[in-house]
Amino acid sequence: MCRWTMRATYRPNGVVDVECEDERHSLLGARYRAEPTAVEGWRLAPCGELRTVPELLPVEGYVALPYALWLWVTLPGLLEVELRDRLVALGAEVRLWPFGDAYDLHVTRPGRSRAWRVDVKTWADPYGLAQKLREDPEGPSELCFVVPEHLRGYLPLLRRVVRGSGARVLTDTDLVAEVEGA
């Protein structure tokens, strides 16, 4: 789905489970099983809803990031870029990582005075994220924190943390709807 390297889990029977590291994509069906074959080497078969099988590529010539860097640096960037594309398709003007990455997206609509200063958060731990927001020395004033739709359950906790600061917490779906309606 995202064209990023997937995680391979080797099973004792010689079969390899292959799935996207991004849980959203795995839940949407980006799961496969690789089986050794005498003729082809390896054959990849879908296990989830996605029936399009990605091309198996050799590892030679590729470099993999350590898991933590991939998960916490690269994947959040994917959501930021995806949000930018969705908002631009609505006619919004979007600047990625303005002011040296002070936040992730600066969103405006031509002919309107409103702007959104968006900081995307894709943390797996809502309590860790809440603590991080509490400890931010600059404070969250006027920022719009956005979590992926599949983390909608984080909203009540995070909204309590930023209450009274001027910041808001939305899902990516909510933000797109808000910008579209502005």
Side-chain angles (χ1 to χ4, degrees):
M1 293 180 76
C2 59
R3 301 186 186 276
W4 285 95
T5 303
M6 291 185 272
R7 175 182 50 222
T9 305
Y10 294 84
R11 303 291 176 205
N13 62 358
V15 171
V16 180
D17 292 332
V18 180
E19 64 183 326
C20 187
E21 289 278 7
D22 185 329
E23 183 181 356
R24 294 174 303 161
H25 298 167
S26 182
L27 291 172
L28 289 171
R31 296 185 309 271
Y32 305 90
R33 174 158 289 147
E35 299 175 342
T37 66
V39 178
E40 304 168 27
W42 287 90
R43 183 176 55 86
L44 202 57
C47 295
E49 295 77 31
L50 296 180
R51 294 295 169 209
T52 303
V53 177
E55 177 187 0
L56 284 172
L57 297 172
V59 296
E60 293 85 22
Y62 291 88
V63 177
L65 290 171
Y67 180 73
L69 279 177
W70 180 85
L71 181 63
W72 301 115
V73 176
T74 306
L75 278 182
L78 292 177
L79 182 55
E80 293 159 8
V81 172
E82 177 187 316
L83 258 175
R84 186 236 10 231
D85 293 347
R86 288 166 61 193
L87 294 168
V88 166
L90 296 174
E93 294 177 356
V94 182
R95 238 182 337 153
L96 284 168
W97 311 294
F99 312 111
D101 198 18
Y103 48 96
D104 299 318
L105 302 154
H106 188 87
V107 182
T108 57
R109 293 288 309 259
R112 295 173 178 93
S113 61
R114 182 160 187 198
W116 292 263
R117 294 173 52 233
V118 178
D119 199 1
V120 177
K121 301 294 185 188
T122 56
W123 290 48
D125 173 19
Y127 298 101
L129 176 55
Q131 187 61 35
K132 176 71 172 164
L133 295 181
R134 281 187 198 103
E135 294 172 353
D136 186 347
E138 296 179 25
S141 64
E142 308 276 331
L143 282 176
C144 182
F145 292 108
V146 171
V147 297
E149 181 63 36
H150 73 278
L151 299 179
R152 179 173 285 281
Y154 288 17
L155 295 181
L157 171 66
L158 299 177
R159 285 176 175 161
R160 281 193 306 272
V161 170
V162 302
R163 187 179 296 135
S165 69
R168 297 183 311 130
V169 184
L170 305 168
T171 68
D172 58 326
T173 304
D174 296 336
L175 175 68
V176 170
E178 188 174 296
V179 172
E180 183 176 31

